Amino acid sequence: MNNDKKFILYDIILIIASLYLALLLRLDFKISPEYMKFFWYSIIPVTLMIILFNSIFKLYNKVWKYASIEELLSIVYSISISNVVFILYSYFITYKIFENNYYRFPFTVHIIFWLLSVVSLGGIRFVYRIIGTEKLKDCVNADRKKVLIIGAGDAGVLLLKEVKKHKEFNFDVVGFIDDDSSKKGKVINGVQVLGDRKDIIKASIDYEVDEIIMAIPSAEIDTKKDIISVCKETKCKLKTIPGIYEIIDGKVNISKIRDVDIEDLLGREPVKLDSKDIDKYIKDKIVLVTGGGGSIGSELCRQITKFKPKKLLILDIYENNAYDIQRELVDTHPELDLEVLIASIRDEKRIREIFSKYRPNVVFHAAAHKHVPLMEENPKEAIKNNVVGTYNVVKICSEYGVNKFVQISTDKAVNPTNIMGATKRFCEMMIQAFDKISATEYVAVRFGNVLGSNGSVIPLFKKQIARGGPVTVTHPEINRFFMTIPEAAQLVIQAGGMANGGEIFVLDMGKPVKMVDLAKDLIALSGLELDRDIKIEYTGLRPGEKLYEELLMDEVALTSTKHQKIFVEKPMAEELKFIEKSVEEFREVSKVETDNEEVFKLMEEKVPTYKRKKN
């Protein structure tokens, strides 16, 4: 039987029952024979009336599992009109059949009958809707992602509300996890707190969790690391919400949820900056950032804007990157006096024109070729850009009276085994030599790998995981120091404020991380299982690549500074004549059409600590 016929049958039964019950209620459950006779004369006509008006109001054509208030009003209208007609009918039937003996129903019977009819006919339809909705939920829930929320505080509750509001994201929250023991077992907005972090694995198994969302934006870094480490064992996809400032602004929503990145696992406590030192050399100054469109350069630009420079100049050879950071800063800092300059640091004439026109007070030099294997294959390009290009900028800074020059260096400059690291070590020697004879304060800042920077290993691993692997690691024992881009940029700016000239500042990079462990973490954070879903392959060390990176020269002791994450090497005795003569030799060797061996030999002469590694 189809649904239309079912509802007609239900209505007939309910109409008869409602009329009979109305009589019982009105007459104190003692119905006289006359009223029963009238009942039997009335039941067929009143049933037909209601069925007719139900049909007119299309009550048998509606899909009741999607019923709303409009459908309920249709029932009210139909029953009301039917009752008016029924009252008229009762007067007619009394006159014709009972010959003016007024045994028609009391008026209150009609009122009770109307109420019972609305409740019963409407009720049966909305019961059907509820049953249909539950069936629909069961059907949908089979395909919904079961989600466990870490954190039953303000952020977690806001997130739960967003999940419930946005059904299209197909999330089914199975529970909360919170370390507050007083919340265990409590129900928040219909979702139970299942336990603390020790219960994450059990809850993920018991409830067949697909995704875990971390909603603890104000938690300490170590707390987050501990929880992420537990979550990695669940093989669930791991996501997180943004920082606490988003919670304060009430901006927690589904679109803000992102995958947990390796940065969340390797990240450290936020950098505390001494704004007094930074204000002294950046506020109301003209600041130039070379390589300003790159990973470090663009983050330097973002951080510099916070200290209100008079003007910010972004210099880059690659216009797409420069355009991207320009548009971002225009949107986020419309008050900023910003200019983008497309130029190559190799072009001495063009660089001189820029300095002559804008007269920068501070220069952050982030422009460089940085990829070790590529530079091993193209050493002349490394020389032209990293050595000659840097020399152009350093020399012109001195000529135009720049107050401070900050060179971005690398841990690969320490006892370098590759041409890229050697060029960076030579640049450190260069700025120390210039510092001795110039009014400009020259300083270098040395740090290791930056998480997520262009061409770094993290994006590579992510791409390899996305396409199903394998993830390639050069050696099972290879390790690297890592730092987040914002942390590196902030510490570079801080070091610049602490500089007196000639120093090489070394940033505290924390503990080195094995690359294979990094790959395993990324696989786990993606909700995949090593060897079953994704394999790791070892490809062997690349040309010029070290197993272990060093952050400081073995023979030089570091001195601590007032900032706990910044150390300093004392200036070394580098002579400008040696630097200038060496640069000329580098220029010449990069022009000659010979094999690359001449470049490597010359670099070994100029940088005593450079020991070329041949694989």
Side-chain angles (χ1 to χ4, degrees):
M1 186 184 295
N2 63 34
N3 286 335
D4 291 353
K5 291 179 180 178
K6 280 182 182 178
F7 277 114
I8 291 172
L9 179 60
Y10 296 155
D11 287 352
I12 291 171
I13 295 169
L14 292 171
I15 291 164
I16 295 170
S18 296
L19 185 56
Y20 186 70
L21 184 56
L23 276 170
L24 285 172
L25 292 172
R26 173 62 181 78
L27 302 172
D28 295 327
F29 294 89
K30 296 175 182 179
I31 305 174
S32 66
E34 290 82 2
Y35 281 125
M36 277 305 300
K37 184 178 181 181
F38 189 74
F39 172 79
W40 291 116
Y41 272 103
S42 302
I43 196 62
I44 293 176
V46 77
T47 301
L48 291 174
M49 289 175 204
I50 294 177
I51 297 296
L52 172 64
F53 284 107
N54 282 357
S55 299
I56 291 172
F57 282 96
K58 303 185 184 308
L59 295 181
Y60 301 117
N61 297 328
K62 297 184 183 295
V63 181
W64 286 98
K65 68 180 177 181
Y66 303 120
S68 65
I69 192 66
E70 292 181 8
E71 282 72 22
L72 179 59
L73 288 174
S74 296
I75 294 171
V76 173
Y77 297 149
S78 176
I79 300 297
S80 298
I81 296 172
S82 299
N83 262 280
V84 171
V85 176
F86 180 30
I87 292 169
L88 295 175
Y89 164 80
S90 67
Y91 278 94
F92 170 79
I93 199 73
T94 299
Y95 179 77
K96 289 291 185 181
I97 298 176
F98 290 93
E99 299 175 351
N100 292 323
N101 292 317
Y102 290 95
Y103 283 102
R104 65 177 181 273
F105 294 145
F107 189 74
T108 49
V109 170
H110 293 283
I111 295 174
I112 297 171
F113 173 57
W114 175 87
L115 183 61
L116 292 174
S117 298
V118 169
V119 171
S120 59
L121 270 66
I124 191 68
R125 283 162 171 79
F126 278 85
V127 166
Y128 187 83
R129 177 194 172 180
I130 292 168
I131 294 170
T133 302
E134 290 303 316
K135 288 181 178 177
L136 184 63
K137 281 183 180 177
D138 290 342
C139 181
V140 171
N141 284 344
D143 297 324
R144 293 178 75 179
K145 294 177 182 176
K146 293 181 180 178
V147 174
L148 184 67
I149 296 178
I150 309 293
D154 291 342
V157 174
L158 283 171
L159 177 61
L160 175 61
K161 289 179 180 177
E162 281 291 307
V163 167
K164 288 185 173 182
K165 186 164 64 175
H166 294 278
K167 302 294 184 185
E168 66 273 17
F169 286 93
N170 222 21
F171 288 157
D172 179 21
V173 178
V174 299
F176 283 109
I177 292 291
D178 198 288
D179 284 343
D180 184 349
S181 58
S182 66
K183 293 180 181 178
K184 186 172 182 179
K186 299 288 178 62
V187 175
I188 303 173
N189 283 5
V191 176
Q192 188 176 19
V193 179
L194 304 175
D196 57 23
R197 72 181 76 176
K198 297 191 296 294
D199 300 303
I200 291 174
I201 296 174
K202 183 179 184 301
S204 67
I205 295 171
D206 291 347
Y207 291 88
E208 298 179 342
V209 172
D210 299 303
E211 293 189 3
I212 297 174
I213 303 178
M214 291 180 60
I216 46 173
S218 59
E220 299 290 330
I221 290 292
D222 288 342
T223 298
K224 290 182 179 179
K225 285 182 181 180
D226 288 344
I227 291 173
I228 292 172
S229 295
V230 175
C231 291
K232 285 192 301 179
E233 299 180 34
T234 66
K235 301 179 177 60
C236 297
K237 183 77 173 175
L238 198 51
K239 294 181 180 290
T240 187
I241 63 170
I244 187 64
Y245 63 91
E246 297 283 4
I247 309 303
I248 295 170
D249 292 343
K251 296 177 182 176
V252 174
N253 58 54
I254 296 291
S255 65
K256 299 288 184 182
I257 297 174
R258 62 168 174 81
D259 289 346
V260 169
D261 282 329
I262 202 69
E263 287 92 334
D264 297 300
L265 191 58
L266 299 180
R268 296 182 285 173
E269 293 298 329
V271 174
K272 294 178 182 177
L273 298 179
D274 184 345
S275 58
K276 290 181 182 178
D277 279 349
I278 298 171
D279 279 344
K280 281 190 298 186
Y281 83 104
I282 288 182
K283 188 176 182 180
D284 297 326
K285 300 295 194 298
I286 299 171
V287 181
L288 169 67
V289 181
T290 71
S295 303
I296 296 297
S298 61
E299 185 61 30
L300 280 170
C301 293
R302 292 184 191 98
Q303 300 293 338
I304 289 166
T305 58
K306 297 176 182 178
F307 297 94
K308 296 181 172 53
K310 180 179 179 181
K311 188 181 189 70
L312 177 61
L313 304 170
I314 298 175
L315 185 149
D316 207 296
I317 187 61
Y318 185 42
E319 71 275 16
N320 289 350
N321 283 348
Y323 176 78
D324 288 343
I325 186 63
Q326 179 190 40
R327 291 314 312 159
E328 179 186 330
L329 293 180
V330 166
D331 290 340
T332 57
H333 296 275
E335 78 288 351
L336 178 66
D337 185 358
L338 173 67
E339 194 152 347
V340 172
L341 309 167
I342 303 303
S344 169
I345 58 173
R346 299 183 186 188
D347 187 344
E348 183 179 352
K349 183 180 177 183
R350 170 70 172 139
I351 298 300
R352 197 175 296 279
E353 287 173 354
I354 290 170
F355 274 72
S356 176
K357 180 178 180 179
Y358 295 101
R359 301 281 175 161
N361 306 113
V362 181
V363 174
F364 289 90
H365 183 49
H369 287 324
K370 64 177 185 178
H371 296 289
V372 170
L374 286 178
M375 293 305 100
E376 288 300 293
E377 298 297 324
N378 301 275
K380 292 177 186 176
E381 296 306 307
I383 295 296
K384 292 175 188 175
N385 206 60
N386 295 6
V387 174
V388 178
T390 298
Y391 177 77
N392 291 337
V393 179
V394 168
K395 181 176 69 171
I396 293 170
C397 280
S398 180
E399 292 174 7
Y400 282 87
V402 170
N403 297 340
K404 197 178 295 278
F405 175 95
V406 182
Q407 162 79 32
I408 306 300
S409 193
T410 171
D411 55 356
K412 294 173 180 61
V414 182
N415 299 322
T417 59
N418 53 71
I419 196 71
M420 193 284 285
T423 60
K424 285 291 193 176
R425 176 57 190 151
F426 186 82
C427 289
E428 292 178 352
M429 297 161 60
M430 186 190 302
I431 64 110
Q432 290 182 325
F434 266 92
D435 187 75
K436 290 166 62 177
I437 58 92
S438 174
T440 300
E441 291 179 355
Y442 292 92
V443 58
V445 182
R446 185 190 293 161
F447 52 89
N449 298 277
V450 178
L451 289 167
S453 62
N454 294 332
S456 69
V457 71
I458 305 297
L460 173 62
F461 282 172
K462 287 181 177 179
K463 287 178 183 177
Q464 291 175 334
I465 290 169
R467 63 172 179 252
V471 175
T472 56
V473 178
T474 56
H475 191 283
E477 295 301 319
I478 192 169
N479 70 20
R480 292 292 180 264
F481 293 95
F482 283 101
M483 179 176 279
T484 65
I485 295 175
E487 183 180 15
Q490 289 167 8
L491 289 175
V492 165
I493 294 171
Q494 183 71 75
M498 297 163 59
N500 294 314
E503 302 99 332
I504 296 175
F505 287 98
V506 181
L507 305 187
D508 174 13
M509 297 294 296
K511 296 178 181 178
V513 178
K514 276 191 176 183
M515 301 304 288
V516 66
D517 292 339
L518 197 62
K520 290 176 181 177
D521 284 341
L522 278 171
I523 291 169
L525 291 176
S526 301
L528 302 172
E529 188 173 343
L530 180 63
D531 292 331
R532 189 192 71 180
D533 302 312
I534 300 281
K535 293 187 180 298
I536 292 177
E537 287 186 1
Y538 298 103
T539 58
L541 291 176
R542 297 172 296 181
E545 190 171 42
K546 291 181 181 180
L547 264 183
Y548 309 103
E549 294 291 5
E550 305 162 82
L551 275 180
L552 50 139
M553 306 293 283
D554 289 342
E555 69 272 16
V556 179
L558 289 182
T559 304
S560 60
T561 68
K562 61 183 180 181
H563 197 288
Q564 61 180 358
K565 292 187 177 182
I566 302 175
F567 299 85
V568 63
E569 279 187 2
K570 294 178 181 178
M572 299 180 71
E574 304 296 348
E575 295 297 329
L576 185 59
K577 287 183 180 179
F578 168 76
I579 296 297
E580 290 175 335
K581 182 175 183 296
S582 298
V583 169
E584 284 306 312
E585 292 179 49
F586 279 128
R587 275 198 177 107
E588 292 304 315
V589 79
S590 65
K591 293 176 184 176
V592 179
E593 294 183 6
T594 58
D595 61 28
N596 292 331
E597 286 303 316
E598 294 299 318
V599 178
F600 293 122
K601 287 179 181 177
L602 181 60
M603 185 59 75
E604 285 177 331
E605 290 177 19
K606 303 302 179 183
V607 179
T609 55
Y610 170 47
K611 304 298 178 186
R612 187 184 175 199
K613 189 178 189 315
K614 297 181 181 180
N615 292 339

